[in-house]
PDB file of all heavy atoms in Angstrom:
ATOM      1  N   ILE A 278      -6.295-201.894  49.881  1.00 95.00           N
ATOM      2  CA  ILE A 278      -6.651-202.614  51.078  1.00 95.00           C
ATOM      3  C   ILE A 278      -8.120-202.280  51.418  1.00 95.00           C
ATOM      4  O   ILE A 278      -8.682-201.302  51.012  1.00 95.00           O
ATOM      5  CB  ILE A 278      -5.793-202.289  52.191  1.00 95.00           C
ATOM      6  CG1 ILE A 278      -5.948-200.880  52.702  1.00 95.00           C
ATOM      7  CG2 ILE A 278      -4.330-202.670  51.892  1.00 95.00           C
ATOM      8  CD1 ILE A 278      -5.340-200.552  53.954  1.00 95.00           C
ATOM      9  N   ASP A 279      -8.660-203.198  52.143  1.00 96.00           N
ATOM     10  CA  ASP A 279     -10.095-202.996  52.679  1.00 96.00           C
ATOM     11  C   ASP A 279      -9.986-202.377  54.135  1.00 96.00           C
ATOM     12  O   ASP A 279      -9.004-202.595  54.816  1.00 96.00           O
ATOM     13  CB  ASP A 279     -10.887-204.341  52.857  1.00 96.00           C
ATOM     14  CG  ASP A 279     -11.115-204.929  51.416  1.00 96.00           C
ATOM     15  OD1 ASP A 279     -11.267-204.254  50.432  1.00 96.00           O
ATOM     16  OD2 ASP A 279     -11.135-206.129  51.259  1.00 96.00           O
ATOM     17  N   GLY A 280     -10.905-201.610  54.494  1.00 96.00           N
ATOM     18  CA  GLY A 280     -10.929-200.939  55.865  1.00 96.00           C
ATOM     19  C   GLY A 280      -9.892-200.026  56.150  1.00 96.00           C
ATOM     20  O   GLY A 280      -9.293-199.313  55.121  1.00 96.00           O
ATOM     21  N   LEU A 281      -9.414-199.882  57.435  1.00 97.00           N
ATOM     22  CA  LEU A 281      -8.570-198.923  57.833  1.00 97.00           C
ATOM     23  C   LEU A 281      -7.120-199.380  57.605  1.00 97.00           C
ATOM     24  O   LEU A 281      -6.892-200.571  57.633  1.00 97.00           O
ATOM     25  CB  LEU A 281      -8.720-198.552  59.271  1.00 97.00           C
ATOM     26  CG  LEU A 281      -9.986-197.976  59.733  1.00 97.00           C
ATOM     27  CD1 LEU A 281     -10.154-198.020  61.250  1.00 97.00           C
ATOM     28  CD2 LEU A 281     -10.116-196.404  59.243  1.00 97.00           C
ATOM     29  N   PRO A 282      -6.194-198.463  57.533  1.00 97.00           N
ATOM     30  CA  PRO A 282      -4.681-198.852  57.464  1.00 97.00           C
ATOM     31  C   PRO A 282      -4.350-199.321  58.791  1.00 97.00           C
ATOM     32  O   PRO A 282      -5.074-199.156  59.847  1.00 97.00           O
ATOM     33  CB  PRO A 282      -3.960-197.558  57.134  1.00 97.00           C
ATOM     34  CG  PRO A 282      -5.002-196.531  57.440  1.00 97.00           C
ATOM     35  CD  PRO A 282      -6.354-196.968  57.241  1.00 97.00           C
ATOM     36  N   PRO A 283      -3.154-199.899  58.929  1.00 97.00           N
ATOM     37  CA  PRO A 283      -2.778-200.663  60.302  1.00 97.00           C
ATOM     38  C   PRO A 283      -2.464-199.584  61.389  1.00 97.00           C
ATOM     39  O   PRO A 283      -2.597-199.987  62.551  1.00 97.00           O
ATOM     40  CB  PRO A 283      -1.585-201.427  59.906  1.00 97.00           C
ATOM     41  CG  PRO A 283      -1.005-200.721  58.650  1.00 97.00           C
ATOM     42  CD  PRO A 283      -2.207-200.226  58.013  1.00 97.00           C
ATOM     43  N   THR A 284      -2.070-198.362  61.050  1.00 97.00           N
ATOM     44  CA  THR A 284      -1.738-197.406  62.104  1.00 97.00           C
ATOM     45  C   THR A 284      -2.348-196.028  61.595  1.00 97.00           C
ATOM     46  O   THR A 284      -2.588-195.850  60.517  1.00 97.00           O
ATOM     47  CB  THR A 284      -0.261-197.254  62.328  1.00 97.00           C
ATOM     48  OG1 THR A 284       0.303-196.627  61.214  1.00 97.00           O
ATOM     49  CG2 THR A 284       0.354-198.666  62.386  1.00 97.00           C
ATOM     50  N   PRO A 285      -2.235-195.046  62.496  1.00 98.00           N
ATOM     51  CA  PRO A 285      -2.517-193.700  62.104  1.00 98.00           C
ATOM     52  C   PRO A 285      -1.461-193.212  61.060  1.00 98.00           C
ATOM     53  O   PRO A 285      -0.369-193.789  60.997  1.00 98.00           O
ATOM     54  CB  PRO A 285      -2.444-192.892  63.337  1.00 98.00           C
ATOM     55  CG  PRO A 285      -2.682-193.828  64.488  1.00 98.00           C
ATOM     56  CD  PRO A 285      -2.153-195.146  63.991  1.00 98.00           C
ATOM     57  N   ILE A 286      -1.785-192.226  60.329  1.00 97.00           N
ATOM     58  CA  ILE A 286      -0.737-191.596  59.333  1.00 97.00           C
ATOM     59  C   ILE A 286      -0.282-190.218  59.732  1.00 97.00           C
ATOM     60  O   ILE A 286       0.590-189.685  59.075  1.00 97.00           O
ATOM     61  CB  ILE A 286      -1.462-191.588  57.892  1.00 97.00           C
ATOM     62  CG1 ILE A 286      -2.641-190.690  57.975  1.00 97.00           C
ATOM     63  CG2 ILE A 286      -1.795-192.968  57.454  1.00 97.00           C
ATOM     64  CD1 ILE A 286      -3.227-190.460  56.522  1.00 97.00           C
ATOM     65  N   ALA A 287      -0.814-189.712  60.869  1.00 97.00           N
ATOM     66  CA  ALA A 287      -0.397-188.405  61.309  1.00 97.00           C
ATOM     67  C   ALA A 287      -0.973-188.141  62.728  1.00 97.00           C
ATOM     68  O   ALA A 287      -1.666-189.126  63.345  1.00 97.00           O
ATOM     69  CB  ALA A 287      -0.940-187.354  60.407  1.00 97.00           C
ATOM     70  N   MET A 288      -0.643-186.973  63.246  1.00 97.00           N
ATOM     71  CA  MET A 288      -1.166-186.600  64.593  1.00 97.00           C
ATOM     72  C   MET A 288      -2.488-185.876  64.367  1.00 97.00           C
ATOM     73  O   MET A 288      -2.521-184.843  63.836  1.00 97.00           O
ATOM     74  CB  MET A 288      -0.158-185.623  65.333  1.00 97.00           C
ATOM     75  CG  MET A 288       1.071-186.286  65.831  1.00 97.00           C
ATOM     76  SD  MET A 288       1.951-185.017  66.897  1.00 97.00           S
ATOM     77  CE  MET A 288       2.163-183.717  65.699  1.00 97.00           C
ATOM     78  N   PRO A 289      -3.570-186.460  64.906  1.00 97.00           N
ATOM     79  CA  PRO A 289      -4.910-185.787  64.728  1.00 97.00           C
ATOM     80  C   PRO A 289      -5.049-184.856  66.001  1.00 97.00           C
ATOM     81  O   PRO A 289      -4.620-185.296  67.084  1.00 97.00           O
ATOM     82  CB  PRO A 289      -5.918-186.899  64.796  1.00 97.00           C
ATOM     83  CG  PRO A 289      -5.232-187.979  65.533  1.00 97.00           C
ATOM     84  CD  PRO A 289      -3.743-187.875  65.265  1.00 97.00           C
ATOM     85  N   GLY A 290      -5.739-183.769  65.833  1.00 96.00           N
ATOM     86  CA  GLY A 290      -6.106-183.003  66.907  1.00 96.00           C
ATOM     87  C   GLY A 290      -7.374-183.477  67.563  1.00 96.00           C
ATOM     88  O   GLY A 290      -8.070-184.333  67.142  1.00 96.00           O
ATOM     89  N   ARG A 291      -7.693-182.905  68.667  1.00 97.00           N
ATOM     90  CA  ARG A 291      -8.985-183.286  69.380  1.00 97.00           C
ATOM     91  C   ARG A 291     -10.226-183.172  68.470  1.00 97.00           C
ATOM     92  O   ARG A 291     -11.130-184.013  68.495  1.00 97.00           O
ATOM     93  CB  ARG A 291      -9.143-182.423  70.662  1.00 97.00           C
ATOM     94  CG  ARG A 291     -10.351-182.980  71.470  1.00 97.00           C
ATOM     95  CD  ARG A 291     -10.576-182.125  72.727  1.00 97.00           C
ATOM     96  NE  ARG A 291     -11.712-182.787  73.361  1.00 97.00           N
ATOM     97  CZ  ARG A 291     -11.570-183.285  74.674  1.00 97.00           C
ATOM     98  NH1 ARG A 291     -10.328-183.273  75.235  1.00 97.00           N
ATOM     99  NH2 ARG A 291     -12.571-183.859  75.248  1.00 97.00           N
ATOM    100  N   GLU A 292     -10.252-182.097  67.596  1.00 96.00           N
ATOM    101  CA  GLU A 292     -11.431-181.917  66.832  1.00 96.00           C
ATOM    102  C   GLU A 292     -11.628-183.085  65.766  1.00 96.00           C
ATOM    103  O   GLU A 292     -12.769-183.519  65.454  1.00 96.00           O
ATOM    104  CB  GLU A 292     -11.393-180.598  65.995  1.00 96.00           C
ATOM    105  CG  GLU A 292     -11.575-179.322  66.988  1.00 96.00           C
ATOM    106  CD  GLU A 292     -10.252-179.052  67.721  1.00 96.00           C
ATOM    107  OE1 GLU A 292      -9.201-179.711  67.458  1.00 96.00           O
ATOM    108  OE2 GLU A 292     -10.257-178.112  68.584  1.00 96.00           O
ATOM    109  N   ALA A 293     -10.485-183.565  65.262  1.00 97.00           N
ATOM    110  CA  ALA A 293     -10.538-184.644  64.255  1.00 97.00           C
ATOM    111  C   ALA A 293     -10.904-185.875  64.943  1.00 97.00           C
ATOM    112  O   ALA A 293     -11.713-186.808  64.332  1.00 97.00           O
ATOM    113  CB  ALA A 293      -9.195-184.839  63.585  1.00 97.00           C
ATOM    114  N   ILE A 294     -10.500-186.206  66.242  1.00 98.00           N
ATOM    115  CA  ILE A 294     -10.876-187.342  66.936  1.00 98.00           C
ATOM    116  C   ILE A 294     -12.379-187.316  67.261  1.00 98.00           C
ATOM    117  O   ILE A 294     -13.086-188.287  67.214  1.00 98.00           O
ATOM    118  CB  ILE A 294     -10.075-187.459  68.271  1.00 98.00           C
ATOM    119  CG1 ILE A 294      -8.557-187.534  67.919  1.00 98.00           C
ATOM    120  CG2 ILE A 294     -10.391-188.739  69.069  1.00 98.00           C
ATOM    121  CD1 ILE A 294      -7.679-187.511  69.192  1.00 98.00           C
ATOM    122  N   GLU A 295     -12.789-186.087  67.706  1.00 97.00           N
ATOM    123  CA  GLU A 295     -14.294-185.962  67.986  1.00 97.00           C
ATOM    124  C   GLU A 295     -15.042-186.198  66.704  1.00 97.00           C
ATOM    125  O   GLU A 295     -16.112-186.920  66.801  1.00 97.00           O
ATOM    126  CB  GLU A 295     -14.578-184.479  68.454  1.00 97.00           C
ATOM    127  CG  GLU A 295     -13.925-184.167  69.802  1.00 97.00           C
ATOM    128  CD  GLU A 295     -14.967-184.564  70.969  1.00 97.00           C
ATOM    129  OE1 GLU A 295     -15.916-185.165  70.666  1.00 97.00           O
ATOM    130  OE2 GLU A 295     -14.535-184.240  72.059  1.00 97.00           O
ATOM    131  N   ALA A 296     -14.600-185.818  65.549  1.00 97.00           N
ATOM    132  CA  ALA A 296     -15.384-186.113  64.326  1.00 97.00           C
ATOM    133  C   ALA A 296     -15.332-187.477  63.995  1.00 97.00           C
ATOM    134  O   ALA A 296     -16.325-188.009  63.540  1.00 97.00           O
ATOM    135  CB  ALA A 296     -14.620-185.324  63.161  1.00 97.00           C
ATOM    136  N   ALA A 297     -14.263-188.149  64.259  1.00 98.00           N
ATOM    137  CA  ALA A 297     -14.215-189.751  64.077  1.00 98.00           C
ATOM    138  C   ALA A 297     -15.224-190.490  64.776  1.00 98.00           C
ATOM    139  O   ALA A 297     -15.732-191.569  64.355  1.00 98.00           O
ATOM    140  CB  ALA A 297     -12.796-190.218  64.211  1.00 98.00           C
ATOM    141  N   VAL A 298     -15.567-190.060  66.031  1.00 98.00           N
ATOM    142  CA  VAL A 298     -16.505-190.762  66.897  1.00 98.00           C
ATOM    143  C   VAL A 298     -17.904-190.089  66.879  1.00 98.00           C
ATOM    144  O   VAL A 298     -18.841-190.663  67.395  1.00 98.00           O
ATOM    145  CB  VAL A 298     -15.944-190.879  68.230  1.00 98.00           C
ATOM    146  CG1 VAL A 298     -14.590-191.594  68.266  1.00 98.00           C
ATOM    147  CG2 VAL A 298     -15.862-189.530  68.974  1.00 98.00           C
TER     148      VAL A 298
END
Side-chain angles (χ1 to χ4, degrees):
I278 66 169
D279 296 326
L281 295 168
T284 74
I286 60 171
M288 290 189 302
R291 185 181 185 114
E292 292 79 7
I294 302 173
E295 292 275 7
V298 301

